[in-house]
Amino acid sequence: VKAPRSGILAVLLLVCTERSGFGMCHPKPACRYPPSQWCRSLEIAIECRVEKQCMEVNATRSNQAVPGVSVTLYYESLCPDCREFITQQLFPTWTMLQDIMAVTLVPYGNAKELRSANSPFTCQHGESECRGNMIEACILNLTEHSLAFHIIYCMESSADVLSAAQSCLQLYAPSVPWSRVDSCVKGDLGYQLMRANALMTRALNPAHTHVPWITFNGEYTEENEDKAMLSLFQLVCHLYKGVKPPACTGAPVRLDRSFC
């Protein structure tokens, strides 16, 4: 089996860089095998003195093929336990491991739908929480996911979640005017987003009994929930099936040196 062309080029580039510095690269044959066979087996890689480069390329290729850990949080914007999990576990872990994990936020929790045009939802922590849930749902819809997560973290880590919404939006997504979020909250879009979150929450199997409710790769287990509450970081590292990133293994990260 021949190594993919991109892998061959990557090995050649690594060999050129390490053996020739930043000058012109004129690789000399180090073994009796052509470059296309260098990473075919460990024995060949050792004979050709490219085992290190082949391991690096294979690690990169395996990580690209292995899906990240999917973490979905069902929560409420004013629930104290939800706020603590977002600010103390979820956001810090995602900041460190976002290359191997994907986060989905579903603000709804223990809310219920009502057949009322004026107040279509009722929430566990009152009308303010319903507004907070809808603001966060609208922000998730109107901004790129990474920005939305930063904004929601900013809100949930503030003393007053609702009062912080506008300033958090301005801080992380200044190109999105608050008027768009406000229109979403007051209009049909906000209702439709909350309705979708209600359907997602009701579709949980097993049904949620509390919040925060966390699923990993679409599945809920009490064991994983307990582990996530203790250290979500360690759990995500454990669940990831690819080559562990340096943050998980504790290996030192070599930074590029730069000078002025």
Side-chain angles (χ1 to χ4, degrees):
V1 179
K2 291 185 178 181
R5 185 169 182 172
S6 60
I8 297 169
L9 292 175
V11 171
L12 285 171
L13 179 60
L14 287 167
V15 171
C16 288
T17 301
E18 295 185 5
R19 294 184 182 172
S20 304
F22 293 99
M24 294 295 292
C25 177
H26 301 286
K28 297 179 180 180
C31 61
R32 54 196 171 92
Y33 295 94
S36 62
Q37 301 294 311
W38 282 356
C39 296
R40 184 175 182 179
S41 71
L42 179 60
E43 290 77 12
I44 296 175
I46 292 173
E47 181 178 340
C48 297
R49 294 184 295 172
V50 293
E51 62 272 21
K52 177 174 178 285
Q53 293 86 349
C54 287
M55 288 176 66
E56 291 176 358
V57 169
N58 287 336
T60 302
R61 190 183 307 136
S62 65
N63 270 1
Q64 292 173 345
V66 176
V69 180
S70 175
V71 181
T72 303
L73 175 66
Y74 298 83
Y75 72 104
E76 300 165 350
S77 61
L78 298 187
C79 163
D81 292 334
C82 297
R83 296 179 64 187
E84 181 178 356
F85 182 76
I86 290 171
T87 59
Q88 301 299 317
Q89 293 279 0
L90 186 59
F91 185 81
T93 297
W94 174 80
T95 301
M96 292 289 291
L97 301 177
Q98 56 187 288
D99 289 341
I100 66 166
M101 69 182 292
V103 173
T104 301
L105 299 173
V106 186
Y108 187 79
N110 296 324
K112 298 186 183 303
E113 285 189 86
L114 301 176
R115 295 186 178 182
S116 169
N118 295 328
S119 181
F121 302 98
T122 180
C123 296
Q124 183 176 3
H125 298 93
E127 187 177 338
S128 294
E129 182 169 80
C130 283
R131 178 171 171 79
N133 290 347
M134 196 170 289
I135 288 173
E136 294 186 0
C138 287
I139 287 172
L140 286 163
N141 179 260
L142 296 173
T143 64
E144 186 266 328
H145 178 268
S146 177
L147 294 178
F149 200 2
H150 278 84
I151 295 165
I152 290 171
Y153 167 76
C154 176
M155 292 172 60
E156 297 295 340
S157 59
S158 301
D160 189 321
V161 175
L162 296 184
S163 297
Q166 189 167 350
S167 58
C168 289
L169 177 72
Q170 186 176 14
L171 178 63
Y172 289 105
S175 62
V176 180
W178 177 253
S179 58
R180 289 189 62 194
V181 177
D182 195 47
S183 296
C184 172
V185 171
K186 295 177 179 177
D188 185 62
L189 177 58
Y191 170 77
Q192 294 300 332
L193 293 173
M194 291 307 300
R195 180 96 170 84
N197 286 351
L199 293 174
M200 285 182 63
T201 304
R202 287 206 297 266
L204 284 168
N205 185 18
H208 85 285
T209 57
H210 54 267
V211 289
W213 186 268
I214 316 144
T215 65
F216 295 89
N217 299 323
E219 296 182 357
Y220 169 86
T221 67
E222 189 173 341
E223 179 183 4
N224 278 345
E225 180 180 72
D226 291 341
K227 290 179 179 179
M229 293 301 172
L230 291 174
S231 176
L232 178 64
F233 182 91
Q234 291 183 8
L235 178 58
V236 171
C237 286
H238 173 73
L239 293 176
Y240 183 61
K241 302 303 182 184
V243 177
K244 309 296 184 186
C248 286
T249 60
V253 178
R254 186 178 66 181
L255 301 177
D256 292 333
R257 299 176 66 187
S258 60
F259 304 94
C260 293

